[in-house]
Amino acid sequence: MTSHPDPLFKLPQHQGKCPLCQHPLLIKSGKNGPFMGCSNYPTCHYLKPLHEHEHSVVKVLPHEPCPSCGQPLAVKNGRYGMFIGCSDYPNCDFVVHETDNQTEQFDCPACSKGQLVERISKFGKHFYGCNRYPKCKFLLNEQPVAGSCQQCGFALLIRKKTAKGERLLCADKACQAEQS
């Protein structure tokens, strides 16, 4: 194997062979990033990620017990930023999910039965989708705003940040008319 200028891609000698079948390991790329995989694939399915996404504990909160197991909660730094979770992870996987009661609730304009909720994709991007997913697959990549479109009458608008500043647009992907 030729050496790569990036030190990330230099394999230590003890990781050069597959622990299952002793064939050489190769650096490959997948949807979750680079990993080491056995050169004897598909006979051998050994793989190991190059980057581990670990959660580091910033501060233990001794007076805040976990509602699931009773252990103290901890402020942690993870893949998508800071969060509060159980200090007894991986035995307990409780995580405090932010609930902001002051955010406005919007009815889903597609199914009229669900509510739009803010979610985070696996890449860390915020989006708004119907809470009846997968029955209703309506989603918005921008923040919803109460109002109706002046052009088509769609029951929801979005706030989009552009180089010209914030603009209000129709949330209907077929229309997207700018509102005055």
Side-chain angles (χ1 to χ4, degrees):
M1 182 184 281
T2 61
S3 81
H4 196 278
D6 188 349
L8 169 72
F9 290 99
K10 290 184 180 176
L11 291 175
Q13 292 292 64
H14 67 279
Q15 290 183 351
K17 300 251 183 216
C18 175
L20 301 177
C21 68
Q22 302 306 311
H23 280 82
L25 292 176
L26 301 174
I27 295 178
K28 299 180 179 186
S29 182
K31 68 178 182 178
N32 295 322
F35 64 94
M36 289 190 303
C38 183
S39 61
N40 195 23
Y41 179 83
T43 306
C44 178
H45 291 278
Y46 176 80
L47 59 92
K48 178 181 174 186
L50 287 178
H51 298 292
E52 295 291 333
H53 296 287
E54 296 181 11
H55 301 283
S56 62
V57 175
V58 175
K59 181 180 179 182
V60 175
L61 306 171
H63 303 295
E64 296 290 332
C66 172
S68 296
C69 70
Q71 295 292 322
L73 293 176
V75 177
K76 299 179 178 187
N77 192 6
R79 182 177 190 173
Y80 299 119
M82 303 287 272
F83 67 97
I84 297 175
C86 184
S87 61
D88 195 27
Y89 180 83
N91 296 327
C92 177
D93 59 0
F94 175 80
V95 174
V96 175
H97 295 284
E98 290 183 40
T99 55
D100 188 2
N101 295 333
Q102 297 176 349
T103 59
E104 194 173 351
Q105 294 289 320
F106 297 100
D107 291 332
C108 177
C111 70
S112 301
K113 295 178 184 175
Q115 298 282 318
L116 294 182
V117 292
E118 185 176 11
R119 298 190 178 174
I120 301 174
S121 73
K122 66 180 179 179
F123 303 109
K125 300 278 186 181
H126 291 257
F127 69 95
Y128 299 84
C130 183
N131 64 358
R132 294 185 67 240
Y133 179 85
K135 289 181 180 178
C136 177
K137 295 184 177 170
F138 181 82
L139 67 87
L140 296 170
N141 290 319
E142 308 294 337
Q143 181 181 2
V145 177
S148 60
C149 178
Q150 298 165 348
Q151 187 169 340
C152 72
F154 195 73
L156 194 63
L157 302 175
I158 57 172
R159 177 175 287 124
K160 187 169 186 170
K161 295 178 183 175
T162 65
K164 296 178 181 177
E166 280 190 1
R167 301 184 318 163
L168 284 179
L169 302 174
C170 178
D172 186 4
K173 291 181 179 162
C175 178
Q176 292 200 337
E178 188 169 351
Q179 309 298 301
S180 55

